[in-house]
Amino acid sequence: MDRSGLIEAVTRKVADGGAPSAEQIGRIVDAVFGTVEDAGAIAEALKEGVTVTLLGFGSFHDEDGEVGLRPGKALDEFVHGRVG
């Protein structure tokens, strides 16, 4: 799943339109990452065996039954103080 696919999956989970309120943004974050009660779009994709890739951030993947994040170059450089 690429960014467009992720946006599409989140759009299906969030039904409202217009300028987002704090509540709507919270619903978007929950739709992407999930809550204790409901899986988010990333978790659902991983369960289906799909790797979720966000350019510059990294990719979420299931490798031998373990879910992980392989950080992208931009994220890795930022976290390790090599940019910004």
Side-chain angles (χ1 to χ4, degrees):
M1 176 185 294
D2 62 8
R3 185 177 181 275
S4 296
L6 182 58
I7 289 171
E8 208 174 289
V10 171
T11 300
R12 284 193 303 271
K13 292 179 109 15
V14 180
D16 294 317
S21 67
E23 180 181 338
Q24 289 171 317
I25 292 170
R27 289 176 50 209
I28 291 167
V29 169
D30 292 346
V32 173
F33 296 102
T35 65
V36 172
E37 296 84 22
D38 297 305
I42 292 173
E44 288 173 349
L46 291 171
K47 187 172 184 177
E48 293 174 10
V50 176
T51 295
V52 178
T53 302
L54 304 172
L55 294 179
F57 183 78
S59 64
F60 296 91
H61 60 280
D62 184 348
E63 190 172 300
D64 299 324
E66 295 289 324
V67 176
L69 168 66
R70 184 172 299 120
K73 181 179 178 182
L75 176 62
D76 188 58
E77 288 178 354
F78 176 79
V79 168
H80 292 100
R82 294 188 290 258
V83 296

